[in-house]
Structure formats: C-alpha cells, structure tokens
C-alpha cells in the first residue's frame, strides 16, 4: 500500500455496484459524482456488528443500549432472507425473538394468529433465530403496518437514504450477484 493509504476493515466487503452521474458546476466545468453502493457492508449480521462494538468498548446496560440506538437508528438494513432494504426507526429493547405478536393473514378471510418472532422467522422465512436475548429492530413499514426484524437476520447496507426512495436504483443494485 502506498504511504498514507487508508486500509479497509479486515472484513470482506460485498460491493455490488455504484451509482454515478455527470453534473455541471457553474464556472467550474463538469464533474463526475460516483457513489459506491453495497448490498451488505460486510457479511456480519447487524447483531454481530453491534455486539463487537459493545464488547470492544466494554459496555454494559444503558451504555450498550445507547450504542445499539446510535448504530441502528436511521440505518438502512438488508434482510438476508429476501434482500429487502428497510430503514430502522427504533431499536426495541422491550421485544425479543421470544416476544409474541398477532399476525394477520391477508386474503379472503383475515385470520389472526398469535406467534413468537422466532416461530415466525422459522416458519414463514425459513430462518432460525439463535440468539434469544437480542433486541428487535422496528423498521418503516407501509402505512400503519408495524414491521419488526431480528438483527441476527439483517446486515447493514451501504446505501444512503436518498437511494432507497429511487426504485430503479435499488432494483439495479439488488439485481447484481453477491460476492
């Protein structure tokens, strides 16, 4: 590496493309704006990323919760089971994978079923949740719908918030294979 180079984190990045556009600066000519976008910043889950920071800082209790809130609130995460992108609106320390919720099945008859988040992710998404002590992530849903994700089943995205609102860009990014 050349002198003064900043070396990346030791975790492998999963870069899947970039977004670029040519712009004109008044009086300065053209410039190329190129933003790398990542499907996942790295292959670690949100749970492992936050836990490693908390562990490195030796945090417990309220300090650890503050780190969770700082790292996750307004972050964009990608679910590992269907690669959907969500914006985290809150870290729910009052919920865990063992918490029960009422699932409303849509269709001709709206059926309500009570189940835990662990059961839901196992039965519906075919993913096992192993850490039963993790808080849950509340993400922005459609309308009044409340969507809650398990940090263990998500990864941080490198997308900035402006791109999530551009479906063409997101569709293009997610169409690339993972590395």
């Amino acid at each position: 590496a050349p002198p003064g180079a900043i070396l990346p984190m030791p975790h492998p990045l999963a870069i899947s493309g970039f977004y670029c556009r040519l712009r004109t600066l008044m009086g300065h000519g053209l410039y190329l704006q190129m933003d790398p976008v990542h499907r996942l910043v790295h292959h670690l889950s949100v749970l492992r990323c936050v836990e490693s920071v908390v562990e490195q800082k030796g945090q417990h209790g309220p300090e650890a919760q503050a780190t969770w809130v700082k790292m996750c609130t307004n972050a964009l995460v990608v679910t590992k089971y269907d690669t959907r992108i969500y914006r985290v609106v809150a870290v729910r320390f009052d919920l865990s994978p063992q918490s029960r919720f009422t699932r409303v099945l849509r269709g001709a008859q709206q059926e309500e079923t009570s189940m835990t988040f662990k059961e839901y992710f196992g039965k519906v998404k075919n993913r096992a949740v192993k850490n039963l002590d993790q808080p849950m992530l509340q993400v922005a849903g459609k309308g009044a719908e409340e969507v809650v994700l398990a940090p263990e089943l998500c990864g941080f995205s490198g997308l900035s918030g402006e791109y999530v609102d551009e479906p063409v860009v997101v569709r293009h990014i997610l169409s690339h294979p993972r590395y």
Side-chain angles (χ1 to χ4, degrees):
I6 299 172
L7 299 177
M9 295 173 33
H11 305 290
L13 293 178
I15 300 172
S16 65
F18 58 89
Y19 177 77
C20 67
R21 59 183 157 192
L22 196 57
R23 302 190 99 168
T24 304
L25 273 176
M26 286 194 271
H28 297 287
L30 295 174
Y31 78 96
L32 179 66
Q33 177 182 354
M34 183 179 260
D35 296 318
V37 289
H38 314 277
R39 184 169 297 196
L40 295 174
V41 172
H42 43 74
H43 297 286
L44 295 177
S45 67
V46 170
L47 177 65
R48 293 290 167 242
C49 289
V50 177
E51 279 184 342
S52 67
V53 171
V54 166
E55 186 179 302
Q56 285 175 359
K57 292 182 175 184
Q59 296 175 332
H60 302 284
E63 288 178 327
Q65 288 186 352
T67 298
W68 270 95
V69 170
K70 182 178 180 183
M71 288 182 70
C72 296
T73 305
N74 292 321
L76 298 177
V77 296
V78 179
T79 53
K80 293 184 175 186
Y81 45 86
D82 62 5
T83 64
R84 289 190 180 177
I85 299 173
Y86 294 92
R87 181 187 324 274
V88 178
V89 295
V91 180
R92 298 286 304 268
F93 297 103
D94 59 325
L95 297 177
S96 75
Q98 297 175 357
S99 299
R100 297 193 82 73
F101 73 101
T102 302
R103 178 177 182 222
V104 178
L105 299 173
R106 296 183 184 122
Q109 294 179 319
Q110 287 201 344
E111 223 178 291
E112 292 187 359
T113 308
S114 177
M115 60 187 351
T116 66
F117 289 107
K118 180 182 178 183
E119 291 169 342
Y120 171 79
F121 288 115
K123 291 177 183 173
V124 177
K125 302 297 184 181
N126 200 25
R127 298 292 174 156
V129 176
K130 296 173 185 153
N131 185 326
L132 302 179
D133 296 325
Q134 63 187 300
M136 303 299 281
L137 302 176
Q138 183 175 340
V139 296
K142 294 179 182 176
E145 183 180 56
E146 186 175 328
V147 180
V148 178
L149 304 174
E152 181 178 340
L153 303 178
C154 302
F156 284 114
S157 166
L159 290 171
S160 67
E162 66 189 75
Y163 297 132
V164 167
D165 299 329
E166 295 186 34
V168 174
V169 175
V170 172
R171 196 173 323 117
H172 175 72
I173 292 163
L174 296 178
S175 70
H176 289 284
R178 290 181 201 214
Y179 297 104

